């Protein structure tokens, strides 16, 4: 008579991934009358705390689709920033070399509650309001100073033709950008002299650092919203000195800022600048923020184009030259592959907002929260006599 095979002599199944449950024969601590099934050991999550799973949860109104652990409710409930008249300086004025002051969240809170911060953000809101319901090609007052500023930026664009990218294996950060940036630094004072009157030539010590830091970082070969904010700060300093007046604001957006964005896209494509401080798919854009604010203002009260119109290829093809927001969408689709909702979920969410007025107000609140209130971005921001840093940061 054949001897019965013991349980322990059986060959284990190769497909089994968890340890076998204890049985009566293999464990004396298990009661035969009790359950012999046990919960399998917990499996380790493939996602770390630093890189959480990419859950895509659209939030339609207001236009915010933040990454996990972000307090979006605070942004939603925050008041919409209001425009402010730029406070001009009195001459004679003592200019000073600007320096970095922000190093901690406490410094951010001190800055964001200051008169300097509110007046600077109010200047950006004023620029947004100046372009409201206007196409880029609409007629506007354009002073001689603004024409000179546009000419300066066009000169910087021409330099990209004169300084071709170097042949290298790495995808990002072409080293020829450093040559371009070195030329910028070397010629910055002569460029400023083109727009400054005699009485304000001493201001170069203060405004040149804002200008040279508006086009990216030559060491890291990157560019982001912090550099874009420096360009806005440079324009704000010119307004504080009276070089730019309120009557220039529409042209400042339609001509100066549009040409600036043209330059930055050229630099991004020619020298493959890395995104500085990008939030990846959770961010609005890898490089820019302000053209979305100004572009959404352009489209307020438009009869036909709604936020969802960004998904209409005919509209993008025919109107991107007239509206900055649409131009941004076209550029993103050009440089990024795949489904728009996957590589730009936040912009996809915004397309579900009912009107451009809500988009614009939401983006202004988001700019304050995601740019001006972020230490990694604002730790590089400069303070001098035009954008002051003091105990109360009063102008």
């Amino acid at each position: 008579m054949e001897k019965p095979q013991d349980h322990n002599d059986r060959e284990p199944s190769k497909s089994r991934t968890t340890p076998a449950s204890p049985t009566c024969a293999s464990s004396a601590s298990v009661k035969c009358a009790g359950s012999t099934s046990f919960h399998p050991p917990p499996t380790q999550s493939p996602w770390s705390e630093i890189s959480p799973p990419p859950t895509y949860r659209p939030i339609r109104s207001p236009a915010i689709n933040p990454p996990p652990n972000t307090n979006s409710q605070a942004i939603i409930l925050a008041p919409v920033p209001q425009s402010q008249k730029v406070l001009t300086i009195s001459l004679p004025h003592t200019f000073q070399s600007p320096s970095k002051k922000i190093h901690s969240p406490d410094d951010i809170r001190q800055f964001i509650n200051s008169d300097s911060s509110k007046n600077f953000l109010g200047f950006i809101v004023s620029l947004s309001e100046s372009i409201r319901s206007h196409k880029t090609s609409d007629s506007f007052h354009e002073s001689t100073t603004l024409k000179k500023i546009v000419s300066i930026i066009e000169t910087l664009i021409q330099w990209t033709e004169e300084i071709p990218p170097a042949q290298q294996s790495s995808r990002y950060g072409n080293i020829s950008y450093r040559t371009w940036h070195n030329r910028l630094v070397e010629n910055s004072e002569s460029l400023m002299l083109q727009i400054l009157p005699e009485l304000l030539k001493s201001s170069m010590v203060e405004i040149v650092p804002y200008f040279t830091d508006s086009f990216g970082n030559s060491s890291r070969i990157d560019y982001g919203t912090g550099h874009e904010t420096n360009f806005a700060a440079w324009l704000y300093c010119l307004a504080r000195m009276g070089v730019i007046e309120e009557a220039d604001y529409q042209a400042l957006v339609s001509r100066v800022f549009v040409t600036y964005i043209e330059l930055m896209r050229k630099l991004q494509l020619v020298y493959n600048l890395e995104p500085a401080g990008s939030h990846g798919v959770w961010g609005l854009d890898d490089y820019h923020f302000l053209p979305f604010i100004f572009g959404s203002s352009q489209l307020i009260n438009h009869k036909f184009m709604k936020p969802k119109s960004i998904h209409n290829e005919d509209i993008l093809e025919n109107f991107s030259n007239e509206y900055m927001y649409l131009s941004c969408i076209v550029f993103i689709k050009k440089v990024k592959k795949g489904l728009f909702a996957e590589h730009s979920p936040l912009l996809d969410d915004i397309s579900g907002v009912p009107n451009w007025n809500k988009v614009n107000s939401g983006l202004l609140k988001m700019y304050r929260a995601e740019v001006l209130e972020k230490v990694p971005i604002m730790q590089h921001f400069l303070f001098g006599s035009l954008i002051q840093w003091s105990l109360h940061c009063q102008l």
Side-chain angles (χ1 to χ4, degrees), residues 32-332:
C32 293
S35 172
T36 58
S37 62
F38 291 82
H39 294 293
T43 57
Q44 185 177 3
S45 171
W47 305 100
S48 67
E49 293 181 359
I50 298 177
S51 179
T55 53
Y56 176 51
R57 182 173 59 88
I59 301 176
R60 289 303 178 189
S61 183
I64 297 171
N65 181 17
N69 303 321
T70 295
N71 186 14
S72 61
Q73 194 66 19
I75 301 177
I76 295 171
L77 298 177
V80 179
Q82 300 298 308
S83 62
Q84 283 194 17
K85 186 177 180 65
V86 172
L87 303 177
T88 55
I89 61 172
S90 300
L91 296 178
H93 181 85
T94 302
F95 297 99
Q96 63 186 66
S97 179
S99 59
K100 300 175 183 179
K101 300 293 185 181
I102 294 177
H103 308 286
S104 68
D106 286 339
D107 294 334
I108 284 287
R109 282 189 287 271
Q110 180 175 328
F111 168 66
I112 211 69
N113 292 323
S114 69
D115 292 340
S116 293
S117 169
K118 293 172 183 176
N119 199 234
F120 173 60
L121 183 55
F123 168 69
I124 291 176
V125 178
S126 296
L127 293 181
S128 175
E129 292 178 351
S130 73
I131 198 69
R132 177 173 293 180
S133 304
H134 288 292
K135 296 185 294 185
T136 301
S137 64
D138 283 353
S139 59
F140 44 76
H141 166 75
E142 186 176 10
S143 65
T144 302
T145 299
L146 291 194
K147 291 178 180 178
K148 290 179 180 179
I149 295 176
V150 171
S151 177
I152 289 172
I153 300 174
E154 289 175 341
T155 298
L156 303 185
I157 294 175
Q158 179 60 35
W159 289 355
T160 64
E161 303 293 336
E162 300 170 8
I163 306 173
Q167 297 295 321
Q168 62 183 50
S169 57
S170 60
R171 176 185 175 189
Y172 282 110
N174 194 282
I175 57 175
S176 289
Y177 170 74
R178 290 174 178 155
T179 304
W180 182 93
H181 198 276
N182 287 339
R183 184 184 291 189
L184 168 71
V185 173
E186 291 168 359
N187 292 273
S188 58
E189 290 192 3
S190 63
L191 294 173
M192 293 302 99
L193 287 175
Q194 296 181 28
I195 60 175
L196 292 176
E198 186 67 31
L199 289 174
L200 292 172
K201 287 184 178 179
S202 60
S203 68
M204 285 196 296
V205 67
E206 184 160 345
I207 66 172
V208 164
Y210 289 104
F211 180 75
T212 55
D213 203 25
S214 297
F215 309 97
N217 183 277
S218 60
S219 299
R220 300 187 300 269
I221 313 184
D222 64 6
Y223 172 85
T225 52
H227 302 103
E228 181 186 69
T229 298
N230 273 325
F231 185 73
W234 177 68
L235 296 176
Y236 173 73
C237 289
L238 295 180
R240 287 267 286 147
M241 295 188 295
V243 177
I244 292 174
E245 299 178 349
E246 196 167 345
D248 298 321
Y249 283 6
Q250 185 180 345
L252 199 61
V253 178
S254 293
R255 291 287 288 126
V256 173
F257 201 83
V258 166
T259 310
Y260 169 73
I261 295 299
E262 179 187 350
L263 166 62
M264 292 320 307
R265 287 175 182 164
K266 186 84 171 178
L267 292 175
Q268 291 158 25
L269 293 175
V270 172
Y271 302 120
N272 295 321
L273 303 185
E274 287 209 57
S278 171
H279 293 289
V281 298
W282 298 115
L284 188 69
D285 180 68
D286 286 340
Y287 299 101
H288 296 289
F289 204 116
L290 292 178
F292 292 94
I293 292 176
F294 301 150
S296 60
S297 182
Q298 285 184 292
L299 289 160
I300 289 176
N301 297 328
H302 197 283
K303 291 182 179 180
F304 308 110
M305 280 185 275
K306 307 300 179 186
K308 65 181 179 182
S309 298
I310 67 167
H311 302 295
N312 187 313
E313 294 298 329
D314 289 337
I315 287 179
L316 294 178
E317 181 179 353
N318 290 293
F319 296 99
S320 60
N321 290 333
E322 293 286 8
Y323 299 98
M324 276 180 282
Y325 196 99
L326 302 183
S327 175
C328 290
I329 300 298
V330 169
F331 185 75
I332 289 171

Side-chain angles (χ1 to χ4, degrees), residues 325-358:
Y325 196 99
L326 302 183
S327 175
C328 290
I329 300 298
V330 169
F331 185 75
I332 289 171
K333 289 189 173 185
K334 176 183 177 181
V335 299
K336 293 187 177 183
K337 306 302 179 184
L339 295 176
F340 185 78
E342 293 181 355
H343 62 63
S344 302
L346 179 53
L347 289 171
D348 185 56
D349 284 356
I350 292 175
S351 69
V353 175
N355 59 69
W356 289 109
N357 193 58
K358 286 189 175 181

